[in-house]
Amino acid sequence: MQRLLLTGAAGGLGQMLRRELAGYGQTLRLSDIADLGEAGPGEEVVPCDLADAEAVMKLVEGCDYIVHLGGKSIEGTFEEILQSNIRGTYNVFEAARQHGKPRILFASSNHAIGFHERETRLDGNSLQRPDSLYGVSKCFGEALGCYYYNKFGLENVCVRIGSCFPEPKDRRMLATWLSGEDFIRLIKRVAEATRIGHTIVYGASNNQEQWWDNSHAAFLGWVPQDISEQFRAKVETAHPRQDPEDTAVRYQGGGFAAARHFEDKS
Ligand code: NAI
Ligand code: 15L
């Protein structure tokens, strides 16, 4: 691979991938609206607001794989979500279409399906059930992925990432945790698989508690290796069991499902 573009490269996942994907392609092009510091060896730093279509068009030129992480990563006002996630993701797909159709891995989120109950095991055919405006924007990104593949053959994988952090932070994340290493394995499979089509993948490690079934995406050859059990005792000591009837416990999206509508004043 000649040039891999990482959007959102200054964020939590972006910083980890900047370190871990160094040398994976010939050049790592890093982009964010926030400061990225100096380009290191094998890096190009291209600051860009994803809402700026012209800038994104230039950003994407010459890239042969895009890992699209950039955008608002939690709930926000509609205006924030509109600019960074809805316009931003459209701009990335459209620029990719016009510049040789590089594969895209789109960082979707479990919040696209956050209003499914935890007892429901989801698979590739499960309906979107967003739990927030943020989740709605991820549904939009997935729909773009479907459209750009069917209309133009632009291959993409939309990863409904659970919780990708060094460790699970609460009881819910024992089920939703995705280790950084498993995410990197997935990013490499998406680059290397013969075909990827337009595929939805649930981004969780090989955890004991499983809400999601990725068998529809088995052809990608992604086999998560890590397991959250090693953190269970620590998490359960720090976080007492909650009422199972709480909205945040009942639904897969947890606190996002329970939160007020962000545009409401109180
Ligand atoms: P983060 O908030 O740390 O990073 C997002 C980055 O996007 C930030 O550096 C921010 O400056 C940049 N950004 C925001 N608006 C932008 C714009 N208009 N133009 C250019 N850059 C912009 O989030 P994190 O945790 O690194 O997540 C990365 C992606 O993965 C996000 O899209 C998030 O929604 C998704 N995701 C992450 C999960 C996780 O557990 N970390 C779970 C589910 C989805
Ligand atoms: C997400 O989509 C967020 O980006 C991340 O910060 C976590 O809240 C994660 O989901 C989660 O559900 O744990």
Side-chain angles (χ1 to χ4, degrees):
M1 185 191 321
Q2 304 262 311
R3 184 176 284 105
L4 187 162
L5 168 62
L6 202 57
T7 70
L13 291 183
Q15 288 179 43
M16 182 273 289
L17 293 176
R18 180 178 186 172
R19 266 193 324 272
E20 301 297 328
L21 290 176
Y24 179 61
Q26 221 170 68
T27 305
L28 192 53
R29 179 174 288 178
L30 304 161
S31 185
D32 207 292
I33 202 170
D35 184 32
L36 283 157
E38 295 291 310
E43 290 182 348
E44 293 171 350
V45 167
V46 183
C48 172
D49 180 350
L50 291 165
D52 179 342
E54 217 175 295
V56 175
M57 201 56 80
K58 289 190 192 124
L59 173 68
V60 164
E61 190 171 4
C63 296
D64 37 22
Y65 182 23
I66 302 174
V67 176
H68 176 42
L69 305 172
K72 184 86 185 162
S73 63
I74 52 172
E75 184 61 310
T77 62
F78 179 65
E79 191 53 31
E80 291 171 322
I81 299 281
L82 175 65
Q83 296 305 335
S84 292
N85 293 18
I86 295 182
R87 282 191 196 288
T89 302
Y90 170 74
N91 289 339
V92 169
F93 272 91
E94 181 55 16
R97 176 173 84 94
Q98 297 199 25
H99 287 299
K101 300 188 223 167
R103 285 184 179 178
I104 298 179
L105 182 150
F106 168 55
S108 184
S109 168
N110 71 87
H111 298 292
I113 44 83
F115 260 128
H116 283 282
E117 296 192 357
R118 294 193 188 183
E119 290 82 0
T120 312
R121 191 168 170 90
L122 305 186
D123 61 23
N125 292 319
S126 300
L127 291 181
Q128 294 177 331
R129 282 202 184 165
D131 57 22
S132 48
L133 293 174
Y134 166 68
V136 169
S137 75
K138 295 300 187 181
C139 293
F140 175 77
E142 293 181 2
L144 282 176
C146 184
Y147 172 69
Y148 273 87
Y149 176 65
N150 288 313
K151 195 88 162 178
F152 309 110
L154 197 168
E155 289 193 296
N156 60 89
V157 166
C158 301
V159 188
R160 290 178 175 164
I161 303 173
S163 308
C164 193
F165 299 107
E167 295 184 11
K169 297 178 185 169
D170 56 27
R171 287 180 181 240
R172 172 180 165 277
M173 289 193 194
L174 291 169
T176 58
W177 185 62
L178 172 67
S179 73
E181 288 77 7
D182 279 337
F183 190 32
I184 291 162
R185 287 183 192 102
L186 176 57
I187 290 170
K188 292 184 176 175
R189 282 313 304 151
V190 170
E192 291 160 18
T194 312
R195 272 182 61 80
I196 61 167
H198 159 68
T199 306
I200 301 286
V201 174
Y202 294 93
S205 282
N206 185 28
N207 304 325
Q208 181 174 294
E209 277 177 57
Q210 289 281 345
W211 301 343
W212 305 321
D213 178 355
N214 270 327
S215 50
H216 64 282
F219 69 92
L220 287 175
W222 178 55
V223 183
Q225 316 269 303
D226 295 320
I227 177 157
S228 63
E229 262 336 86
Q230 57 184 306
F231 303 109
R232 180 174 292 279
K234 184 175 168 188
V235 167
E236 289 188 350
T237 306
H239 301 275
R241 197 196 299 271
Q242 289 167 275
D243 177 351
E245 290 311 313
D246 270 4
T247 306
V249 179
R250 185 163 164 201
Y251 294 105
Q252 298 191 0
F256 284 60
R260 69 182 169 86
H261 177 59
F262 205 79
E263 294 283 350
D264 288 346
K265 300 286 174 263
S266 55

